Every structure is written in C-alpha cells, then in structure tokens.
Amino acid sequence: MAELLGSIDQGTTSTRFMVFNPAGEEITKAQMEHEQILPQQGWVEHNPEEIINNTHTVVEKALRKAGLDGKDLAAIGITNQRETTVLWNRRTGKPVYNALVWQDTRTDKIISEIEKKGQGEIIWCKSGLPPATYFSAGKIRWILDQDPELAIQAEKGEILFGNMDTWLIWNLTGGPDGGRHVTDITNASRTMLMNLATLEWDTELCEIFGIPPVMLPEIRPSSGSFGNTLASAPFRTEVPILGVLGDQQAATVGQACFSTGEAKNTYGTGNFMLSNTGTAIVPSRSGLLTTTCYQETGKPAVYALEGSIAVTGSAVQWMRDQLGLISSAAEIEPLANTVKDNGGVYFVPAFSGLFAPYWRSDARGAMVGLTRYANKGHLARATLEAICYQTKDVLGAMDKDSGIALQVMKVDGGATVNNTLMQLQADILGVPVVRPQVTETTALGAAYAAGLAAGVYSSLDDLKANWRVDRQWEPAWSADQRESGYLRWKKAVERTLDWA
Ligand code: ADP
C-alpha cells in the first residue's frame, strides 16, 4: 500500500508541494513564487489562475525529482493562506476578479459601516472574530459590489466563493466538470460567516454582509474526504484529498499541539500564535481571535485562541526591497550582529494597521528613538526586535485569556532559520524557545490530516511521536533589561496610533 503523503502548501508568497514519509520526513519538495499585485496603496491581489498553474508545476516537479508518481501517494492534504478570497464563474471556471489577499485593506469602509450599525458584537459573538478587513466576508462583498450583474448571478448560484483551498480543490477535482465545492472548518472560521458553535454558515452573518449562501462551499471536517483529483495532470492518477487546514492551523497540527494549552508560533510574512483550547470555545477579552483548530471526521471540533500579527517577516522584505539595506532576507542576521544592541531604536512596522492584540486600523509604521548615532545595524536589530516584541504582546494576551503562563514556545516558519532572532525572542519573552527538526510544519500538518484519514496513522499519538527538537534557546537577558525594553516598545506602539 502507498504510504507517502503529499501536501500542497499554497502560501502568501509561494506555492509548494512536498511529499513526506509516515515518519514525517521530507522526501521531495518544489516551490514557486507568484506575483504580488499591488494596484494601489493598501491593495494586495493574486492571480488565481497563476496559482493553479504554479500548483500543477510544483506537483509535477517535486514528483519527477524523486522519481515518484501519483500512485505512490496514499493521499494528499492541502493547506493555504487563509482569508484570501476568490470568486469565480461556475460554468466557465474563470475568476471574476483577482484574489483579494488577507493583507488587503480596501474593505475598510465596508467594515467601518458595519461597526457604525452596531453589528460588530454579533459578528464577534458568533464567528469569534472582530470585524476587520483581514477576513473574507468584506472581500466577497467588495467584489460583488463591482458589478450589479455579478450580485444577481451570485444569487442564482452561478458565482462561487472560495478561499485558496476551495479554489484548488474545485479545480483539481474537475472544475466546471463536477469539481467539488468544499472547504474545511478552519478555513471557514476565517470568513466572519461561520458560526463557531454549529460549524455551519450563519444566515444572520450572511445577511449582514449581503452574501447569498448558495455561493459558499460545503464545510467539512479537516481530516476526511474532499474528493479525488482527476486522473489527468498534475497527479496523472486519482489521488484522494483527505486533509484540508488553513496554514496556521496546519502548523499547529504539524507541531503536534494536540493538548489544551499547547501553543506554536509561526514566523512567516506575518506571525501567528495559536494555542489549543480543546473542545471549548474561549471568547477572548484580550484582543485574540477565537477560531477552530482542527476536526477529525466523527469527532468534535477542537478550537484555538489565535494572535495574528500582520507584519513580521515582511518587515525584513521591506528592508530588502524598499530600503535596499540588505539584498536577501538572510543578510539581516549578520547586519543585526554588527551592533551589540538596538542603540535605542524601536521600529513598529504597523504597515497595515496593528492586528492582535491591538486591532487598530488607524495605526501606521514608525521608527522612533533615532539619534545621529543610529546606523543600519541598529535598524536591522530593531526590525528583528519588532518581530519579538509583537510576539510578546500576543503572548501576554494568551496568558491573560487562558490563565496559564506558557512554559516553552514551539516555533516554525521561514524566519526561524535566523538564530539571532530566536535568541532575541527567548530574551524578550523570558521563556525558552524551541525549534523542531521539521520546520515545514504547515505542509506537514496538512499531510498529517490526510494521513489520519487515510489510515497511515492510527491516532494523534502517532503524530506526537514524530515531533523532535532541533534546537532550544534559553533567555539570557536580566528581568530589568526585559522590562525596560518592553516599556520602550509599548511607548513606541503608542506613537503609531491614530495616524491613518
Ligand atoms: P510565508 O509562508 O508567509 O510566505 P515563510 O514561512 O516562507 O513565509 O517565511 C518567509 C518570510 O521569512 C519572509 O517574509 C522573509 O522575509 C522571512 N525570512 C526569511 N529568512 C529570514 C531570515 N534569515 N531572517 C529573518 N527573516 C527571514
């Protein structure tokens, strides 16, 4: 029997396909970046057709590289950038607009109107999310508003909505020719349209945004059947799709955070900390999101508290692309190490407002504490510290909401290769930071979800046994140093508010 597990990881900046063996070890991988379309300030789009084409390319490339074909795969899982919204025509399969990406803030008027009408509370109570441009519902509304004809077609069920998981599955399972229109509970929980308690689309929430429920996909457990791929390209055989998880939930599964109170923090374009709250829906009083974590078919859903930070790794990209201070992301580490501390410089990269725990869309970025002494090394260090301080803000909210102080932080994501960043994180948090051997936990988590449904694993315990430490960092700063740094950070954050 085929035992290998494939995983499509459709991320914000790139799409990868990876194959894992049952021990969770990487067998092959291929990755491709896609264009970030930035038509104007605050707008971020992706071309959904480019993403489908890239998915085909990376699957074929990775399989070929390892001499594998679709028949070698027991199943595949899909994980994806969440919230990013695609609308397409059911008959032609053509997107009606570019995908509106989670970072896109063009829906701010739609959101502030909802708040003005006092509908924020009901959205928060039912979906676990505060109304924000971040989530899908406002993006669906915005696209429908572009053409009165579209809204009419949507009512008739001719226009379909999906996040990237749904868009990929629909295309891989047949497209206009019987493609499955499905999603999982974790992706659905990021739309502001799903009721967290019933795990179904909520009529009242759909009405608030004027979204016809016929355009929404069927919501399924994360581990279970989502249909089979076509026997044509890219797998060239029918492969069952048995796992779907939004990227952050996938990383939580990949990090084997299956017990209440276990948490992971992913360092990518943004940072996302998720803490497993078991089968309890815990409303946050501290600026976190309540969200679903995963669900196995036939079992109750598991929930999580989430702290989402919009700009972390992308601040490093900004230093590279907009400031030209470094020519690759990796160069930030040696540059930061040319100085012994931040030289009094604090950088709050509130480029698209501040997400958790502040939720201030009126904030904009600021660099403060500059003197004639500051050099680019200090800016690099302040950028790394900004990633760590934002994480401290979120961890503080987690501790408050859960009433339990985290003992050790499991980390993953592209930026965790930066050892200086990891040491700074332990120093700033005062909590040890631990990195697992497999840092591609997002792709791994989707493979795990598929493997559970395929019977490659018999239980979550099998997955826990796969988790192994690569390296651990211990806090080295004194309590005084930690406290005074954090006070400065909080002051810097204040300077960014009430700006836009
Ligand atoms: P995503 O899945 O969100 O696209 P990844 O997990 O691939 O992100 O991580 C990419 C991010 O990590 C980029 O924003 C990049 O700037 C950042 N990054 C990559 N290498 C480093 C490094 N050595 N130090 C700091 N940040 C880094």
Side-chain angles (χ1 to χ4, degrees):
M1 179 188 125
E3 275 206 319
L4 299 179
L5 296 165
S7 180
I8 297 172
D9 178 358
Q10 202 304 293
T12 307
T13 52
S14 72
T15 306
R16 329 170 212 230
F17 181 68
M18 299 183 68
V19 176
F20 296 95
N21 67 16
E25 293 157 343
E26 180 183 324
I27 302 297
T28 182
K29 166 163 100 172
Q31 177 171 2
M32 240 177 128
E33 292 205 0
H34 54 264
E35 191 189 351
Q36 304 296 314
I37 304 164
L38 311 168
Q40 50 175 285
Q41 206 186 336
W43 291 28
V44 187
E45 300 176 2
H46 293 158
N47 176 350
E49 292 189 297
E50 181 188 7
I51 285 176
I52 282 290
N53 292 337
N54 288 2
T55 302
H56 278 242
T57 306
V58 294
V59 168
E60 286 170 348
K61 238 186 176 166
L63 290 177
R64 195 170 344 107
K65 229 167 46 181
L68 297 172
D69 65 39
K71 290 200 184 62
D72 297 309
L73 304 175
I76 61 165
I78 296 181
T79 178
N80 56 295
Q81 50 168 325
R82 306 170 301 173
E83 300 99 10
T84 298
T85 297
V86 191
L87 264 57
W88 69 95
N89 184 297
R90 184 199 286 276
R91 271 179 307 107
T92 65
K94 292 278 171 214
V96 302
Y97 204 88
N98 272 337
L100 304 196
V101 179
W102 58 275
Q103 298 143 318
D104 191 295
T105 56
R106 78 184 67 184
T107 55
D108 50 358
K109 282 199 191 74
I110 295 174
I111 298 303
S112 56
E113 240 150 64
I114 279 174
E115 274 169 348
K116 252 187 254 152
K117 284 194 215 149
Q119 293 166 321
E121 182 73 12
I122 188 81
I123 294 172
W124 182 70
C125 285
K126 286 188 156 185
S127 74
L129 310 171
T133 59
Y134 180 22
F135 309 111
S136 310
K139 301 182 197 288
I140 302 175
R141 182 70 257 155
W142 189 92
I143 298 176
L144 290 178
D145 284 343
Q146 298 319 294
D147 178 358
E149 187 56 32
L150 265 187
I152 296 166
Q153 288 178 338
E155 289 283 355
K156 290 193 205 143
E158 287 168 16
I159 304 294
L160 301 180
F161 154 76
N163 295 124
M164 281 299 172
D165 60 320
T166 302
W167 168 244
L168 290 184
I169 296 170
W170 190 80
N171 277 283
L172 289 171
T173 58
D177 252 345
R180 299 279 301 271
H181 191 223
V182 287
T183 188
D184 90 301
I185 60 160
T186 66
N187 277 291
S189 79
R190 315 297 294 187
T191 56
M192 293 196 285
L193 300 173
M194 189 185 81
N195 185 310
L196 270 186
T198 63
L199 304 174
E200 286 168 0
W201 301 119
D202 187 278
T203 318
E204 187 180 13
L205 296 181
C206 289
E207 273 165 15
I208 288 175
F209 289 95
I211 292 172
V214 290
M215 66 187 300
L216 305 176
E218 179 192 333
I219 304 173
R220 309 191 55 95
S222 326
S223 178
S225 177
F226 293 87
N228 289 343
T229 68
L230 292 176
S232 52
F235 291 99
R236 296 178 201 288
T237 181
E238 283 192 25
V239 182
I241 305 169
L242 295 184
V244 174
L245 287 160
D247 53 9
Q248 300 311 322
Q249 281 86 348
T252 312
V253 170
Q255 287 269 28
C257 295
F258 299 128
S259 310
T260 306
E262 279 192 292
K264 68 87 204 179
N265 195 21
T266 300
Y267 297 69
T269 309
N271 262 35
F272 299 87
M273 195 189 297
L274 266 78
S275 176
N276 183 321
T277 61
T279 52
I281 301 174
V282 179
S284 173
R285 279 168 295 276
S286 316
L288 302 175
L289 309 176
T290 306
T291 197
T292 50
C293 193
Y294 60 89
Q295 185 185 24
E296 294 177 76
T297 301
K299 295 193 181 162
V302 172
Y303 294 86
L305 278 168
E306 170 172 330
S308 333
I309 307 169
V311 179
T312 56
S314 55
V316 176
Q317 290 170 324
W318 177 76
M319 292 206 82
R320 182 193 63 190
D321 303 337
Q322 261 80 4
L323 298 192
L325 285 180
I326 47 178
S327 58
S328 71
E331 282 178 22
I332 194 157
E333 185 169 9
L335 182 58
N337 282 327
T338 58
V339 293
K340 63 176 189 340
D341 56 30
N342 66 12
V345 179
Y346 288 80
F347 172 31
V348 186
F351 296 154
S352 35
L354 286 168
F355 283 13
Y358 303 100
W359 298 105
R360 291 289 295 257
S361 50
D362 60 348
R364 286 298 177 269
M367 238 173 236
V368 299
L370 292 170
T371 60
R372 183 68 179 78
Y373 167 75
N375 63 34
K376 57 186 176 180
H378 296 116
L379 300 192
R381 210 169 178 89
T383 305
L384 297 185
E385 288 192 2
I387 298 176
C388 303
Y389 278 121
Q390 293 189 92
T391 298
K392 186 174 173 76
D393 285 336
V394 165
L395 186 65
M398 284 284 176
D399 289 352
K400 239 191 250 166
D401 276 340
S402 66
I404 318 161
L406 193 76
Q407 295 306 309
V408 43
M409 185 145 80
K410 287 181 171 180
V411 301
D412 53 57
T416 58
V417 296
N418 187 326
N419 294 321
T420 305
L421 174 69
M422 294 297 99
Q423 182 59 54
L424 276 171
Q425 186 67 87
D427 293 341
I428 284 172
L429 290 181
V431 169
V433 166
V434 56
R435 186 173 66 194
Q437 281 174 6
V438 180
T439 52
E440 294 276 12
T441 51
T442 305
L444 185 62
Y448 278 171
L452 276 170
V456 170
Y457 304 109
S458 55
S459 74
L460 299 179
D461 289 337
D462 289 353
L463 306 181
K464 267 189 181 292
N466 276 353
W467 193 92
R468 278 182 201 87
V469 178
D470 167 43
R471 189 165 165 189
Q472 178 155 331
W473 290 266
E474 299 297 329
W477 283 8
S478 70
D480 271 359
Q481 198 176 359
R482 189 170 304 128
E483 204 170 312
S484 68
Y486 192 52
L487 278 176
R488 290 258 155 195
W489 165 258
K490 295 293 261 187
K491 241 175 145 171
V493 168
E494 273 169 34
R495 302 289 192 268
T496 68
L497 304 178
D498 195 17
W499 191 268

